[in-house]
């Protein structure tokens, strides 16, 4: 399982660059990100190499931040790779709240970040089914 | 110590009313004799001091409005020659000419007494360390509190407003026991404490006397919990004397108006009819001891109710409820009256919502729109859009059912709503710009 950093952003010019600048100055590397937005606000979701420090630094800079548990799943980097995983999750009634793709790859696999309702249960089922996901130390080192 | 001046504060009603009648007569006499505008106003209704036989005759007297003060700018309403005036204060005059108020030596003396009563009512004694963060200068807040604090022999720290980090440092180092400022500034100081790594409960601060802007009961709870203090509401306006016109006692069931110096009435702001006790309306005050600027039936534009039932604290003076709003702050949206304090009450009843908000009124086409901006604290935040939208929807529904109009709620980043060191700006009305 991995830690995701979520940041509340108003839909105003310059807010995203401010976050990335704050992290850059602190020497924190962004490994993956996604933005979910509405007309008024957005939620920036980040996977970084040092989540705890990122959380602190952003908080000190006045952002509303939270840490969320997510799964970084390895998916075969070939057509239907993601579909296979999602189908298996569907069969097991595992609900996905959101997902986004990782920038880097792990060996021959693509990486997808998954936020699920119950990450304990999901990771257990993934293990049984042989769906690979990265543990924290592997993820932050990528 | 319970009272500063028990004899006056707990004076039996009958005796108090006798004193009021005598002072009212004197005031009518003096204004008629020395202030041309009042001579004209009183002549129009055909009343002189001899016609005042009971306090009930007050309602026959003409009103005084802020416009009267503007029309007589700067000193034409003064009832004494300038050689007797020892102090001049003035409003900021953001809307038109400023209003100017003057004080004789005796006026300043009475004001200090009233403030001494107020601070005592909030628990201050000569052992108190009072940090006065109201602005010093033309605004009456700073000097008004200052003189009262010295009068009771407390140690005053005249910090005035601004430089919040330093304020918090002094509060810690000097062992401030009582803070005086606007309620919104008190919350701003709390943020500065947290930022500076200061735990409010480690401070010696026990109480706060907050005023100069309307604030709700929920705001009181918020301040009391966050700062770990007892928060008292104080009322006053420069036209009447400044802070100290009314103060809450420990019962916190309304603010006792210093009735030996001021007569209070509630009127319907439209019909100008006097309303019975308990009915909400506009507060009207007559100052009956002011020498430099006595005002008859001054329309404060503050909306409240009066309560004359006995108070457990032993004071006999009438109580006004916390001000609901100032008619100046009221915005009319699609024909509905909205006060920032109504929005505040709703917001603070939602767990996790911070007491920082802003109302933006705008007109799209022919339709007025109200947007309420709410800061998203860590407690409210979720990494899921759906949950944040649900939160926005919940706030919107609560506001709409309480205000009776459609509202748009915008979630904004923490500390993006400007903080104030004086009176907080709660409304931006873009319709007139
Ligand atoms: Zn009382």
């Amino acid at each position: 399982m991995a830690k995701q950093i979520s940041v509340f952003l108003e839909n105003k010019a310059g807010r995203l660059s401010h976050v990335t600048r704050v992290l850059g100055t602190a020497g924190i590397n962004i490994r993956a990100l996604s933005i979910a937005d509405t007309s008024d606000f957005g939620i920036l979701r980040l996977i970084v190499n040092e989540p705890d420090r990122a959380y602190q630094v952003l908080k000190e800079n006045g952002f509303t931040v939270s840490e969320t548990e997510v799964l970084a799943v390895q998916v075969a980097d070939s057509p239907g790779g993601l579909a296979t995983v999602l189908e298996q999750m569907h069969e097991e009634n595992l609900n996905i709240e959101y997902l986004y793709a990782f920038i880097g790859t792990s060996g021959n696999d693509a990486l997808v970040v998954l936020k699920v309702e119950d990450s304990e249960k999901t990771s257990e089922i993934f293990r049984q089914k042989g769906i690979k996901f990265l543990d924290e130390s592997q993820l932050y080192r990528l | 110590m319970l009272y500063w001046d028990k004899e006056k504060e707990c004076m039996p009603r009958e005796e108090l009313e006798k004193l009021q009648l005598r002072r009212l007569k004197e005031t009518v006499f003096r204004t008629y004799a020395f202030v041309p505008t009042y001579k004209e106003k009183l002549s129009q209704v055909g009343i002189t001091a001899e016609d005042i036989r009971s306090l009930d005759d007050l309602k026959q007297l003409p009103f005084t409005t802020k416009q009267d003060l503007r029309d007589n700018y700067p000193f034409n309403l003064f009832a004494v020659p300038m050689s007797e005036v020892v102090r001049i204060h003035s409003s900021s005059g953001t809307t038109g000419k400023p209003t100017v108020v003057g004080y004789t030596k005796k006026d300043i003396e009475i004001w200090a007494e009233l403030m001494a009563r107020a601070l005592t009512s909030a628990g201050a004694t000569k052992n108190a360390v009072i940090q006065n963060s109201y602005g010093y200068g033309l605004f009456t807040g700073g000097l008004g509190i200052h003189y009262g604090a010295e009068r009771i022999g407390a140690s005053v720290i005249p910090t005035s407003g601004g430089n919040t980090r330093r304020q918090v440092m002094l509060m810690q180092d000097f062992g401030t026991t009582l803070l005086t400022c606007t309620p919104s500034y008190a919350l701003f100081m709390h943020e500065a404490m947290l930022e500076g790594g200061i735990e409010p409960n480690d401070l010696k601060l026990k109480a706060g006397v907050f005023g100069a802007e309307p604030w709700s009961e929920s705001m009181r709870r918020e301040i009391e919990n966050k700062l770990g203090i007892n928060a008292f509401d104080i009322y006053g306006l420069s036209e009447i004397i400044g802070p100290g016109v009314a103060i809450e006692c420990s019962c916190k069931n309304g603010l006792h108006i210093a009735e030996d110096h001021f007569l209070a009435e509630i009127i319907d702001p439209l019909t100008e009819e006097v309303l019975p006790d308990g009915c909400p309306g506009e507060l009207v005050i007559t100052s009956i001891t002011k020498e430099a600027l006595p005002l008859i039936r001054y329309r404060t534009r503050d909306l409240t109710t009066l309560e004359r039932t006995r108070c457990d604290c032993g004071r006999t003076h009438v109580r006004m409820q916390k001000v609901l709003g100032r008619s100046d702050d009221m915005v009319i949206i699609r024909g509905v009256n909205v006060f920032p304090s109504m929005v505040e009450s709703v917001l603070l009843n939602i767990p996790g919502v911070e007491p920082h908000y802003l109302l933006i009124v705008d007109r799209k086409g022919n339709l007025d729109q109200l947007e309420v901006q709410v800061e998203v604290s860590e407690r409210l935040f979720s990494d899921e859009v759906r949950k944040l939208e649900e939160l926005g929807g919940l706030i919107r529904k609560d506001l709409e059912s309480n205000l009776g109009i459609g509202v748009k709620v915008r979630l904004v980043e923490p500390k993006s709503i400007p903080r104030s060191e004086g009176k907080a700006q709660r409304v931006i009305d873009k319709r007139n710009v």
Side-chain angles (χ1 to χ4, degrees), chain B residues 249-251 253 256 311-315 319:
Chain B
C249 61
S250 53
C251 303
N253 56 0
H256 289 283
C311 184
D312 290 339
C313 76
R315 288 178 183 79
R319 280 166 291 140

Side-chain angles (χ1 to χ4, degrees), chain A residues 6-10 15 36 38 40-41 43 45 55 59 62 64-66 68 97-98 115, chain B residues 376-379 381-389 408-416:
Chain A
S6 315
V7 190
F8 179 80
L9 290 182
E10 274 174 63
R15 298 309 292 155
T38 70
D40 292 338
F41 65 86
I43 300 167
R45 297 161 182 152
Y55 175 84
K59 220 180 130 146
T64 299
V65 201
S66 68
T68 317
E97 278 164 2
Y98 53 81
K115 165 77 188 294
Chain B
V376 175
S377 66
E378 206 156 297
R379 264 184 78 190
F381 182 49
S382 160
D383 60 309
E384 288 172 45
V385 171
R386 178 175 51 87
K387 289 199 180 138
L388 278 182
E389 283 183 331
K408 175 180 163 47
V409 170
R410 182 188 290 270
L411 300 177
V412 298
E413 286 174 29
K415 299 187 186 162
S416 61

Side-chain angles (χ1 to χ4, degrees), chain B residues 340-379:
Chain B
S341 56
M342 295 157 75
V343 172
E344 183 178 297
S345 290
V346 173
L347 291 181
L348 293 185
N349 280 326
I350 301 170
V353 172
E354 293 288 315
H356 305 290
Y357 61 93
L358 187 63
L359 279 62
I360 310 234
V361 190
D362 205 351
R363 187 165 285 156
K364 298 253 162 75
N366 277 326
L367 202 60
D368 292 341
Q369 303 212 311
L370 172 64
E371 176 181 296
V372 177
Q373 296 192 349
V374 182
E375 289 187 358
V376 175
S377 66
E378 206 156 297
R379 264 184 78 190

Side-chain angles (χ1 to χ4, degrees), chain B residues 238-252:
Chain B
S238 64
E239 297 92 315
I240 296 306
I241 203 159
V245 172
I247 180 72
E248 268 178 334
C249 61
S250 53
C251 303
K252 291 183 187 167

